[in-house]
Amino acid sequence: MSLNKCMIIGNLGRDPEMRYTPGGQAVTQFSVATNRNYRDPQGEWQSETEWFRVVVWGDQGERVAEYLRKGHKVYVEGRIQTRQWEDQSGNKRYTTELIANRVSSLERRDRDGDPPAPGDAPGGFSGGGSSSGAGGSQGGGNTASSGPSNASEDFDDLPF
């Protein structure tokens, strides 16, 4: 038995970039920064940032690209995947990505039930995993929820 699951909370480092595969599947990529504060052996506070490359497939990827922007706080859940390819010089290159099956905005919304400001995501974007095929091609999942059904629900709580 094994488990490949990753959960992060952080801020988008850049606006999401969406494209479509030759088969018409949407794929969105963005980066998320997570921060860790700790005391060093001398008692001084230190801070370090870890960057994650995130990939979101299908309808969920389209919603992420539409609503999320650089600086937004998000919760991302998925699996870690490392891809390999050859660059133009023939060198083997690797990249490690978080393939998301759940992305939720942690941005605050107006409590009066007013719609979010332009660019604010409506709650969460769940579902829509992905699978790898031969030759590095990937297909997206085809299950996605439209987010919470109760617009007055408290979106400030963590999703777990």
Side-chain angles (χ1 to χ4, degrees):
M1 183 169 162
S2 63
L3 176 68
N4 179 353
K5 185 168 188 166
C6 181
M7 298 178 286
I8 62 171
I9 294 176
N11 296 83
L12 266 68
R14 59 184 166 97
D15 286 347
E17 296 175 8
M18 186 178 67
R19 62 178 177 79
Y20 290 91
T21 65
Q25 182 73 20
V27 58
T28 300
Q29 298 179 332
F30 57 92
S31 59
V32 174
T34 61
N35 298 309
R36 180 174 88 98
N37 296 318
Y38 63 96
R39 287 189 189 260
D40 64 17
Q42 292 76 34
E44 298 294 320
W45 279 104
Q46 301 294 321
S47 178
E48 65 183 28
T49 301
E50 190 71 36
W51 287 93
F52 293 84
R53 295 172 56 102
V54 179
V55 178
V56 189
W57 289 89
D59 293 339
Q60 179 179 218
E62 290 178 337
R63 289 191 307 272
V64 163
E66 180 179 353
Y67 291 109
L68 296 182
R69 293 292 171 257
K70 178 180 179 178
H72 281 195
K73 186 170 288 298
V74 292
Y75 167 80
V76 181
E77 183 177 316
R79 63 184 171 84
I80 299 293
Q81 175 178 291
T82 301
R83 293 187 295 120
Q84 171 186 319
W85 76 95
E86 280 190 20
D87 65 14
Q88 294 177 347
S89 303
N91 299 317
K92 283 188 180 179
R93 305 279 305 211
Y94 298 89
T95 189
T96 301
E97 300 166 322
L98 194 168
I99 309 300
N101 58 17
R102 180 175 182 184
V103 177
S104 296
S105 175
L106 300 180
E107 291 295 305
R108 292 187 179 267
R109 293 182 40 160
D110 188 355
R111 297 273 184 206
D112 297 333
D114 292 338
D120 282 352
F125 318 106
S126 297
S130 70
S131 60
S132 291
S137 65
Q138 298 183 10
N142 48 11
T143 60
S145 90
S146 60
S149 58
N150 184 355
S152 65
E153 186 173 329
D154 185 4
F155 295 110
D156 296 333
D157 288 342
L158 294 177
F160 47 86

mmCIF file of all heavy atoms in Angstrom, residues 84-135:
data_model
loop_
_atom_site.group_PDB
_atom_site.id
_atom_site.type_symbol
_atom_site.label_atom_id
_atom_site.label_comp_id
_atom_site.label_asym_id
_atom_site.label_seq_id
_atom_site.Cartn_x
_atom_site.Cartn_y
_atom_site.Cartn_z
ATOM 1 N N GLN A 84 9.855 13.923 -16.867
ATOM 2 C CA GLN A 84 11.192 13.966 -17.463
ATOM 3 C C GLN A 84 11.054 14.263 -18.962
ATOM 4 O O GLN A 84 10.124 13.801 -19.604
ATOM 5 C CB GLN A 84 11.860 12.612 -17.279
ATOM 6 C CG GLN A 84 13.159 12.446 -18.032
ATOM 7 C CD GLN A 84 13.678 11.019 -17.917
ATOM 8 O OE1 GLN A 84 13.624 10.425 -16.869
ATOM 9 N NE2 GLN A 84 14.167 10.489 -19.014
ATOM 10 N N TRP A 85 11.975 15.064 -19.494
ATOM 11 C CA TRP A 85 12.020 15.330 -20.919
ATOM 12 C C TRP A 85 13.447 15.673 -21.300
ATOM 13 O O TRP A 85 14.308 15.850 -20.440
ATOM 14 C CB TRP A 85 11.042 16.446 -21.295
ATOM 15 C CG TRP A 85 11.491 17.822 -20.936
ATOM 16 C CD1 TRP A 85 12.144 18.718 -21.726
ATOM 17 C CD2 TRP A 85 11.343 18.477 -19.657
ATOM 18 N NE1 TRP A 85 12.396 19.875 -21.033
ATOM 19 C CE2 TRP A 85 11.919 19.751 -19.755
ATOM 20 C CE3 TRP A 85 10.774 18.103 -18.444
ATOM 21 C CZ2 TRP A 85 11.944 20.640 -18.700
ATOM 22 C CZ3 TRP A 85 10.806 18.989 -17.398
ATOM 23 C CH2 TRP A 85 11.376 20.241 -17.531
ATOM 24 N N GLU A 86 13.689 15.767 -22.613
ATOM 25 C CA GLU A 86 15.005 16.167 -23.104
ATOM 26 C C GLU A 86 14.919 17.573 -23.642
ATOM 27 O O GLU A 86 14.004 17.904 -24.397
ATOM 28 C CB GLU A 86 15.479 15.220 -24.214
ATOM 29 C CG GLU A 86 16.037 13.933 -23.702
ATOM 30 C CD GLU A 86 16.727 13.119 -24.793
ATOM 31 O OE1 GLU A 86 17.107 13.704 -25.841
ATOM 32 O OE2 GLU A 86 16.872 11.913 -24.592
ATOM 33 N N ASP A 87 15.885 18.418 -23.257
ATOM 34 C CA ASP A 87 15.906 19.785 -23.772
ATOM 35 C C ASP A 87 16.515 19.783 -25.174
ATOM 36 O O ASP A 87 16.873 18.731 -25.712
ATOM 37 C CB ASP A 87 16.620 20.729 -22.812
ATOM 38 C CG ASP A 87 18.099 20.428 -22.637
ATOM 39 O OD1 ASP A 87 18.674 19.663 -23.435
ATOM 40 O OD2 ASP A 87 18.681 20.976 -21.675
ATOM 41 N N GLN A 88 16.666 20.969 -25.765
ATOM 42 C CA GLN A 88 17.157 21.080 -27.142
ATOM 43 C C GLN A 88 18.592 20.597 -27.287
ATOM 44 O O GLN A 88 19.006 20.215 -28.368
ATOM 45 C CB GLN A 88 17.044 22.527 -27.620
ATOM 46 C CG GLN A 88 15.612 22.978 -27.745
ATOM 47 C CD GLN A 88 15.495 24.436 -28.141
ATOM 48 O OE1 GLN A 88 16.464 25.184 -28.094
ATOM 49 N NE2 GLN A 88 14.288 24.839 -28.527
ATOM 50 N N SER A 89 19.343 20.605 -26.172
ATOM 51 C CA SER A 89 20.728 20.138 -26.205
ATOM 52 C C SER A 89 20.843 18.641 -25.945
ATOM 53 O O SER A 89 21.943 18.107 -25.902
ATOM 54 C CB SER A 89 21.555 20.880 -25.148
ATOM 55 O OG SER A 89 21.476 22.267 -25.350
ATOM 56 N N GLY A 90 19.724 17.972 -25.741
ATOM 57 C CA GLY A 90 19.742 16.541 -25.480
ATOM 58 C C GLY A 90 19.930 16.172 -24.018
ATOM 59 O O GLY A 90 20.083 14.994 -23.694
ATOM 60 N N ASN A 91 19.922 17.163 -23.119
ATOM 61 C CA ASN A 91 20.064 16.893 -21.684
ATOM 62 C C ASN A 91 18.728 16.468 -21.092
ATOM 63 O O ASN A 91 17.688 17.021 -21.442
ATOM 64 C CB ASN A 91 20.563 18.143 -20.946
ATOM 65 C CG ASN A 91 21.917 18.588 -21.448
ATOM 66 O OD1 ASN A 91 22.804 17.793 -21.670
ATOM 67 N ND2 ASN A 91 22.050 19.898 -21.639
ATOM 68 N N LYS A 92 18.778 15.504 -20.179
ATOM 69 C CA LYS A 92 17.566 15.104 -19.475
ATOM 70 C C LYS A 92 17.211 16.181 -18.460
ATOM 71 O O LYS A 92 18.057 16.638 -17.708
ATOM 72 C CB LYS A 92 17.756 13.769 -18.756
ATOM 73 C CG LYS A 92 17.692 12.586 -19.667
ATOM 74 C CD LYS A 92 17.701 11.299 -18.882
ATOM 75 C CE LYS A 92 17.627 10.111 -19.809
ATOM 76 N NZ LYS A 92 17.660 8.846 -19.059
ATOM 77 N N ARG A 93 15.959 16.580 -18.483
ATOM 78 C CA ARG A 93 15.459 17.591 -17.554
ATOM 79 C C ARG A 93 14.293 16.997 -16.772
ATOM 80 O O ARG A 93 13.578 16.137 -17.273
ATOM 81 C CB ARG A 93 14.985 18.834 -18.319
ATOM 82 C CG ARG A 93 16.011 19.463 -19.243
ATOM 83 C CD ARG A 93 16.943 20.308 -18.492
ATOM 84 N NE ARG A 93 16.171 21.283 -17.751
ATOM 85 C CZ ARG A 93 16.586 22.485 -17.450
ATOM 86 N NH1 ARG A 93 17.775 22.878 -17.816
ATOM 87 N NH2 ARG A 93 15.828 23.302 -16.756
ATOM 88 N N TYR A 94 14.103 17.480 -15.541
ATOM 89 C CA TYR A 94 13.044 16.993 -14.674
ATOM 90 C C TYR A 94 12.299 18.169 -14.069
ATOM 91 O O TYR A 94 12.881 19.222 -13.820
ATOM 92 C CB TYR A 94 13.624 16.162 -13.516
ATOM 93 C CG TYR A 94 14.361 14.933 -13.960
ATOM 94 C CD1 TYR A 94 15.721 14.989 -14.255
ATOM 95 C CD2 TYR A 94 13.710 13.712 -14.079
ATOM 96 C CE1 TYR A 94 16.410 13.862 -14.659
ATOM 97 C CE2 TYR A 94 14.399 12.573 -14.480
ATOM 98 C CZ TYR A 94 15.747 12.658 -14.764
ATOM 99 O OH TYR A 94 16.427 11.533 -15.169
ATOM 100 N N THR A 95 11.018 17.977 -13.818
ATOM 101 C CA THR A 95 10.232 18.948 -13.066
ATOM 102 C C THR A 95 9.265 18.190 -12.166
ATOM 103 O O THR A 95 8.732 17.159 -12.564
ATOM 104 C CB THR A 95 9.478 19.938 -13.977
ATOM 105 O OG1 THR A 95 8.909 20.964 -13.182
ATOM 106 C CG2 THR A 95 8.391 19.260 -14.780
ATOM 107 N N THR A 96 9.063 18.697 -10.972
ATOM 108 C CA THR A 96 8.135 18.096 -10.029
ATOM 109 C C THR A 96 6.963 19.042 -9.852
ATOM 110 O O THR A 96 7.153 20.240 -9.637
ATOM 111 C CB THR A 96 8.827 17.821 -8.678
ATOM 112 O OG1 THR A 96 9.932 16.941 -8.914
ATOM 113 C CG2 THR A 96 7.878 17.187 -7.686
ATOM 114 N N GLU A 97 5.759 18.498 -9.980
ATOM 115 C CA GLU A 97 4.550 19.308 -9.936
ATOM 116 C C GLU A 97 3.539 18.702 -8.966
ATOM 117 O O GLU A 97 3.548 17.500 -8.708
ATOM 118 C CB GLU A 97 3.905 19.354 -11.326
ATOM 119 C CG GLU A 97 4.807 19.936 -12.375
ATOM 120 C CD GLU A 97 4.318 19.683 -13.788
ATOM 121 O OE1 GLU A 97 3.784 18.590 -14.058
ATOM 122 O OE2 GLU A 97 4.498 20.590 -14.621
ATOM 123 N N LEU A 98 2.659 19.552 -8.463
ATOM 124 C CA LEU A 98 1.514 19.110 -7.675
ATOM 125 C C LEU A 98 0.336 19.062 -8.637
ATOM 126 O O LEU A 98 -0.087 20.101 -9.153
ATOM 127 C CB LEU A 98 1.262 20.096 -6.533
ATOM 128 C CG LEU A 98 0.341 19.673 -5.395
ATOM 129 C CD1 LEU A 98 0.465 20.653 -4.233
ATOM 130 C CD2 LEU A 98 -1.074 19.496 -5.787
ATOM 131 N N ILE A 99 -0.155 17.861 -8.936
ATOM 132 C CA ILE A 99 -1.306 17.697 -9.814
ATOM 133 C C ILE A 99 -2.544 17.795 -8.924
ATOM 134 O O ILE A 99 -2.828 16.901 -8.136
ATOM 135 C CB ILE A 99 -1.277 16.339 -10.558
ATOM 136 C CG1 ILE A 99 0.073 16.121 -11.242
ATOM 137 C CG2 ILE A 99 -2.446 16.254 -11.539
ATOM 138 C CD1 ILE A 99 0.448 17.164 -12.260
ATOM 139 N N ALA A 100 -3.258 18.911 -9.046
ATOM 140 C CA ALA A 100 -4.343 19.226 -8.111
ATOM 141 C C ALA A 100 -5.623 18.490 -8.460
ATOM 142 O O ALA A 100 -5.992 18.403 -9.636
ATOM 143 C CB ALA A 100 -4.605 20.730 -8.107
ATOM 144 N N ASN A 101 -6.287 17.977 -7.433
ATOM 145 C CA ASN A 101 -7.652 17.496 -7.616
ATOM 146 C C ASN A 101 -8.630 18.352 -6.801
ATOM 147 O O ASN A 101 -9.821 18.170 -6.887
ATOM 148 C CB ASN A 101 -7.805 16.008 -7.272
ATOM 149 C CG ASN A 101 -7.405 15.680 -5.861
ATOM 150 O OD1 ASN A 101 -7.307 16.557 -5.010
ATOM 151 N ND2 ASN A 101 -7.144 14.425 -5.606
ATOM 152 N N ARG A 102 -8.086 19.287 -6.023
ATOM 153 C CA ARG A 102 -8.921 20.247 -5.307
ATOM 154 C C ARG A 102 -8.158 21.551 -5.138
ATOM 155 O O ARG A 102 -7.019 21.557 -4.680
ATOM 156 C CB ARG A 102 -9.294 19.709 -3.930
ATOM 157 C CG ARG A 102 -10.162 20.662 -3.156
ATOM 158 C CD ARG A 102 -10.630 20.086 -1.852
ATOM 159 N NE ARG A 102 -11.489 21.063 -1.200
ATOM 160 C CZ ARG A 102 -12.004 20.901 -0.013
ATOM 161 N NH1 ARG A 102 -11.775 19.794 0.662
ATOM 162 N NH2 ARG A 102 -12.757 21.836 0.506
ATOM 163 N N VAL A 103 -8.809 22.641 -5.515
ATOM 164 C CA VAL A 103 -8.260 23.987 -5.312
ATOM 165 C C VAL A 103 -9.376 24.827 -4.701
ATOM 166 O O VAL A 103 -10.471 24.892 -5.247
ATOM 167 C CB VAL A 103 -7.783 24.625 -6.634
ATOM 168 C CG1 VAL A 103 -7.287 26.044 -6.397
ATOM 169 C CG2 VAL A 103 -6.715 23.779 -7.303
ATOM 170 N N SER A 104 -9.101 25.444 -3.560
ATOM 171 C CA SER A 104 -10.097 26.296 -2.894
ATOM 172 C C SER A 104 -9.488 27.657 -2.603
ATOM 173 O O SER A 104 -8.390 27.740 -2.065
ATOM 174 C CB SER A 104 -10.544 25.680 -1.565
ATOM 175 O OG SER A 104 -11.200 24.466 -1.775
ATOM 176 N N SER A 105 -10.213 28.691 -2.968
ATOM 177 C CA SER A 105 -9.779 30.039 -2.635
ATOM 178 C C SER A 105 -10.002 30.277 -1.153
ATOM 179 O O SER A 105 -11.043 29.926 -0.601
ATOM 180 C CB SER A 105 -10.572 31.061 -3.448
ATOM 181 O OG SER A 105 -10.234 32.366 -3.034
ATOM 182 N N LEU A 106 -9.030 30.877 -0.502
ATOM 183 C CA LEU A 106 -9.161 31.253 0.904
ATOM 184 C C LEU A 106 -9.289 32.763 1.058
ATOM 185 O O LEU A 106 -9.114 33.298 2.148
ATOM 186 C CB LEU A 106 -7.957 30.727 1.706
ATOM 187 C CG LEU A 106 -7.787 29.209 1.685
ATOM 188 C CD1 LEU A 106 -6.569 28.810 2.500
ATOM 189 C CD2 LEU A 106 -9.024 28.512 2.190
ATOM 190 N N GLU A 107 -9.605 33.434 -0.038
ATOM 191 C CA GLU A 107 -9.811 34.879 0.000
ATOM 192 C C GLU A 107 -11.120 35.175 0.716
ATOM 193 O O GLU A 107 -12.101 34.454 0.570
ATOM 194 C CB GLU A 107 -9.862 35.462 -1.417
ATOM 195 C CG GLU A 107 -8.533 35.428 -2.135
ATOM 196 C CD GLU A 107 -7.497 36.301 -1.466
ATOM 197 O OE1 GLU A 107 -7.767 37.502 -1.267
ATOM 198 O OE2 GLU A 107 -6.417 35.788 -1.149
ATOM 199 N N ARG A 108 -11.133 36.228 1.500
ATOM 200 C CA ARG A 108 -12.345 36.627 2.208
ATOM 201 C C ARG A 108 -13.357 37.176 1.205
ATOM 202 O O ARG A 108 -13.000 37.822 0.232
ATOM 203 C CB ARG A 108 -12.036 37.697 3.246
ATOM 204 C CG ARG A 108 -11.202 37.164 4.369
ATOM 205 C CD ARG A 108 -11.083 38.227 5.458
ATOM 206 N NE ARG A 108 -10.307 37.707 6.552
ATOM 207 C CZ ARG A 108 -10.833 37.109 7.616
ATOM 208 N NH1 ARG A 108 -12.123 36.969 7.706
ATOM 209 N NH2 ARG A 108 -10.063 36.656 8.575
ATOM 210 N N ARG A 109 -14.640 36.916 1.529
ATOM 211 C CA ARG A 109 -15.731 37.442 0.708
ATOM 212 C C ARG A 109 -16.604 38.325 1.573
ATOM 213 O O ARG A 109 -16.645 38.201 2.789
ATOM 214 C CB ARG A 109 -16.562 36.304 0.143
ATOM 215 C CG ARG A 109 -15.778 35.495 -0.858
ATOM 216 C CD ARG A 109 -16.585 34.412 -1.443
ATOM 217 N NE ARG A 109 -17.952 34.831 -1.714
ATOM 218 C CZ ARG A 109 -18.744 34.217 -2.553
ATOM 219 N NH1 ARG A 109 -18.318 33.177 -3.194
ATOM 220 N NH2 ARG A 109 -19.976 34.618 -2.734
ATOM 221 N N ASP A 110 -17.357 39.181 0.924
ATOM 222 C CA ASP A 110 -18.282 40.071 1.622
ATOM 223 C C ASP A 110 -19.367 39.240 2.313
ATOM 224 O O ASP A 110 -19.988 38.379 1.704
ATOM 225 C CB ASP A 110 -18.915 41.030 0.603
ATOM 226 C CG ASP A 110 -19.746 42.109 1.255
ATOM 227 O OD1 ASP A 110 -19.922 42.069 2.486
ATOM 228 O OD2 ASP A 110 -20.207 42.987 0.521
ATOM 229 N N ARG A 111 -19.607 39.475 3.591
ATOM 230 C CA ARG A 111 -20.582 38.707 4.376
ATOM 231 C C ARG A 111 -22.032 39.052 4.032
ATOM 232 O O ARG A 111 -22.940 38.348 4.419
ATOM 233 C CB ARG A 111 -20.365 38.958 5.871
ATOM 234 C CG ARG A 111 -19.042 38.500 6.341
ATOM 235 C CD ARG A 111 -19.156 37.062 6.711
ATOM 236 N NE ARG A 111 -17.881 36.629 7.253
ATOM 237 C CZ ARG A 111 -17.472 35.404 7.212
ATOM 238 N NH1 ARG A 111 -18.211 34.479 6.667
ATOM 239 N NH2 ARG A 111 -16.321 35.071 7.724
ATOM 240 N N ASP A 112 -22.277 40.151 3.323
ATOM 241 C CA ASP A 112 -23.640 40.567 3.022
ATOM 242 C C ASP A 112 -24.253 39.778 1.877
ATOM 243 O O ASP A 112 -25.371 40.054 1.474
ATOM 244 C CB ASP A 112 -23.682 42.056 2.659
ATOM 245 C CG ASP A 112 -23.249 42.921 3.828
ATOM 246 O OD1 ASP A 112 -23.429 42.474 4.988
ATOM 247 O OD2 ASP A 112 -22.738 44.027 3.583
ATOM 248 N N GLY A 113 -23.512 38.801 1.349
ATOM 249 C CA GLY A 113 -24.034 38.013 0.245
ATOM 250 C C GLY A 113 -23.806 38.663 -1.102
ATOM 251 O O GLY A 113 -24.279 38.175 -2.119
ATOM 252 N N ASP A 114 -23.123 39.818 -1.097
ATOM 253 C CA ASP A 114 -22.813 40.448 -2.364
ATOM 254 C C ASP A 114 -21.870 39.558 -3.151
ATOM 255 O O ASP A 114 -21.086 38.808 -2.576
ATOM 256 C CB ASP A 114 -22.144 41.812 -2.151
ATOM 257 C CG ASP A 114 -23.095 42.828 -1.552
ATOM 258 O OD1 ASP A 114 -24.327 42.634 -1.696
ATOM 259 O OD2 ASP A 114 -22.617 43.794 -0.935
ATOM 260 N N PRO A 115 -21.923 39.630 -4.463
ATOM 261 C CA PRO A 115 -20.994 38.823 -5.252
ATOM 262 C C PRO A 115 -19.548 39.249 -4.977
ATOM 263 O O PRO A 115 -19.307 40.383 -4.545
ATOM 264 C CB PRO A 115 -21.383 39.115 -6.704
ATOM 265 C CG PRO A 115 -22.198 40.351 -6.656
ATOM 266 C CD PRO A 115 -22.783 40.461 -5.280
ATOM 267 N N PRO A 116 -18.598 38.354 -5.211
ATOM 268 C CA PRO A 116 -17.205 38.700 -4.960
ATOM 269 C C PRO A 116 -16.743 39.802 -5.902
ATOM 270 O O PRO A 116 -17.311 39.985 -6.975
ATOM 271 C CB PRO A 116 -16.451 37.402 -5.224
ATOM 272 C CG PRO A 116 -17.359 36.615 -6.099
ATOM 273 C CD PRO A 116 -18.758 37.026 -5.758
ATOM 274 N N ALA A 117 -15.733 40.521 -5.467
ATOM 275 C CA ALA A 117 -15.132 41.532 -6.337
ATOM 276 C C ALA A 117 -14.543 40.836 -7.552
ATOM 277 O O ALA A 117 -14.250 39.651 -7.509
ATOM 278 C CB ALA A 117 -14.049 42.288 -5.576
ATOM 279 N N PRO A 118 -14.372 41.544 -8.669
ATOM 280 C CA PRO A 118 -13.794 40.910 -9.851
ATOM 281 C C PRO A 118 -12.486 40.207 -9.507
ATOM 282 O O PRO A 118 -11.615 40.771 -8.859
ATOM 283 C CB PRO A 118 -13.559 42.076 -10.813
ATOM 284 C CG PRO A 118 -14.544 43.116 -10.378
ATOM 285 C CD PRO A 118 -14.683 42.937 -8.882
ATOM 286 N N GLY A 119 -12.382 38.968 -9.937
ATOM 287 C CA GLY A 119 -11.170 38.194 -9.687
ATOM 288 C C GLY A 119 -11.235 37.338 -8.444
ATOM 289 O O GLY A 119 -10.402 36.482 -8.257
ATOM 290 N N ASP A 120 -12.235 37.540 -7.545
ATOM 291 C CA ASP A 120 -12.351 36.692 -6.358
ATOM 292 C C ASP A 120 -13.059 35.408 -6.728
ATOM 293 O O ASP A 120 -14.054 35.419 -7.429
ATOM 294 C CB ASP A 120 -13.134 37.399 -5.253
ATOM 295 C CG ASP A 120 -12.292 38.422 -4.528
ATOM 296 O OD1 ASP A 120 -11.075 38.463 -4.780
ATOM 297 O OD2 ASP A 120 -12.853 39.185 -3.724
ATOM 298 N N ALA A 121 -12.546 34.302 -6.244
ATOM 299 C CA ALA A 121 -13.116 33.001 -6.565
ATOM 300 C C ALA A 121 -14.316 32.706 -5.684
ATOM 301 O O ALA A 121 -14.340 33.078 -4.529
ATOM 302 C CB ALA A 121 -12.050 31.928 -6.384
ATOM 303 N N PRO A 122 -15.309 32.003 -6.228
ATOM 304 C CA PRO A 122 -16.492 31.666 -5.442
ATOM 305 C C PRO A 122 -16.266 30.401 -4.630
ATOM 306 O O PRO A 122 -16.585 29.311 -5.073
ATOM 307 C CB PRO A 122 -17.562 31.467 -6.514
ATOM 308 C CG PRO A 122 -16.794 30.930 -7.686
ATOM 309 C CD PRO A 122 -15.447 31.609 -7.618
ATOM 310 N N GLY A 123 -15.701 30.518 -3.463
ATOM 311 C CA GLY A 123 -15.543 29.355 -2.586
ATOM 312 C C GLY A 123 -14.451 28.438 -3.038
ATOM 313 O O GLY A 123 -13.292 28.728 -2.877
ATOM 314 N N GLY A 124 -14.792 27.318 -3.624
ATOM 315 C CA GLY A 124 -13.774 26.341 -3.985
ATOM 316 C C GLY A 124 -14.029 25.752 -5.339
ATOM 317 O O GLY A 124 -15.106 25.865 -5.902
ATOM 318 N N PHE A 125 -13.029 25.094 -5.855
ATOM 319 C CA PHE A 125 -13.108 24.396 -7.126
ATOM 320 C C PHE A 125 -12.659 22.984 -6.835
ATOM 321 O O PHE A 125 -11.486 22.768 -6.624
ATOM 322 C CB PHE A 125 -12.175 25.017 -8.163
ATOM 323 C CG PHE A 125 -12.180 26.512 -8.157
ATOM 324 C CD1 PHE A 125 -11.114 27.217 -7.642
ATOM 325 C CD2 PHE A 125 -13.259 27.215 -8.651
ATOM 326 C CE1 PHE A 125 -11.106 28.592 -7.642
ATOM 327 C CE2 PHE A 125 -13.251 28.598 -8.642
ATOM 328 C CZ PHE A 125 -12.178 29.285 -8.143
ATOM 329 N N SER A 126 -13.568 22.026 -6.790
ATOM 330 C CA SER A 126 -13.209 20.675 -6.392
ATOM 331 C C SER A 126 -13.446 19.704 -7.526
ATOM 332 O O SER A 126 -14.253 19.938 -8.402
ATOM 333 C CB SER A 126 -14.023 20.238 -5.181
ATOM 334 O OG SER A 126 -13.740 21.058 -4.090
ATOM 335 N N GLY A 127 -12.755 18.582 -7.435
ATOM 336 C CA GLY A 127 -12.920 17.518 -8.404
ATOM 337 C C GLY A 127 -11.934 17.651 -9.528
ATOM 338 O O GLY A 127 -11.017 18.453 -9.496
ATOM 339 N N GLY A 128 -12.101 16.818 -10.559
ATOM 340 C CA GLY A 128 -11.286 16.917 -11.769
ATOM 341 C C GLY A 128 -9.851 16.546 -11.562
ATOM 342 O O GLY A 128 -8.977 17.371 -11.712
ATOM 343 N N GLY A 129 -9.553 15.311 -11.236
ATOM 344 C CA GLY A 129 -8.176 14.852 -11.131
ATOM 345 C C GLY A 129 -7.563 14.703 -12.498
ATOM 346 O O GLY A 129 -8.070 15.220 -13.477
ATOM 347 N N SER A 130 -6.475 13.960 -12.600
ATOM 348 C CA SER A 130 -5.859 13.715 -13.894
ATOM 349 C C SER A 130 -5.215 12.360 -13.875
ATOM 350 O O SER A 130 -4.984 11.771 -12.846
ATOM 351 C CB SER A 130 -4.825 14.793 -14.227
ATOM 352 O OG SER A 130 -3.713 14.649 -13.401
ATOM 353 N N SER A 131 -4.918 11.882 -15.065
ATOM 354 C CA SER A 131 -4.219 10.610 -15.183
ATOM 355 C C SER A 131 -3.154 10.741 -16.240
ATOM 356 O O SER A 131 -3.287 11.517 -17.171
ATOM 357 C CB SER A 131 -5.203 9.494 -15.546
ATOM 358 O OG SER A 131 -5.822 9.778 -16.781
ATOM 359 N N SER A 132 -2.095 9.966 -16.100
ATOM 360 C CA SER A 132 -1.011 10.009 -17.065
ATOM 361 C C SER A 132 -1.168 8.871 -18.037
ATOM 362 O O SER A 132 -1.475 7.756 -17.660
ATOM 363 C CB SER A 132 0.346 9.867 -16.372
ATOM 364 O OG SER A 132 0.609 11.013 -15.622
ATOM 365 N N GLY A 133 -0.906 9.146 -19.281
ATOM 366 C CA GLY A 133 -0.923 8.108 -20.294
ATOM 367 C C GLY A 133 0.477 7.878 -20.794
ATOM 368 O O GLY A 133 1.440 8.463 -20.332
ATOM 369 N N ALA A 134 0.626 7.012 -21.778
ATOM 370 C CA ALA A 134 1.938 6.740 -22.344
ATOM 371 C C ALA A 134 2.442 7.951 -23.088
ATOM 372 O O ALA A 134 1.692 8.757 -23.599
ATOM 373 C CB ALA A 134 1.832 5.540 -23.289
ATOM 374 N N GLY A 135 3.745 8.091 -23.129
ATOM 375 C CA GLY A 135 4.351 9.183 -23.864
ATOM 376 C C GLY A 135 4.196 10.521 -23.183
ATOM 377 O O GLY A 135 4.404 11.544 -23.806
#
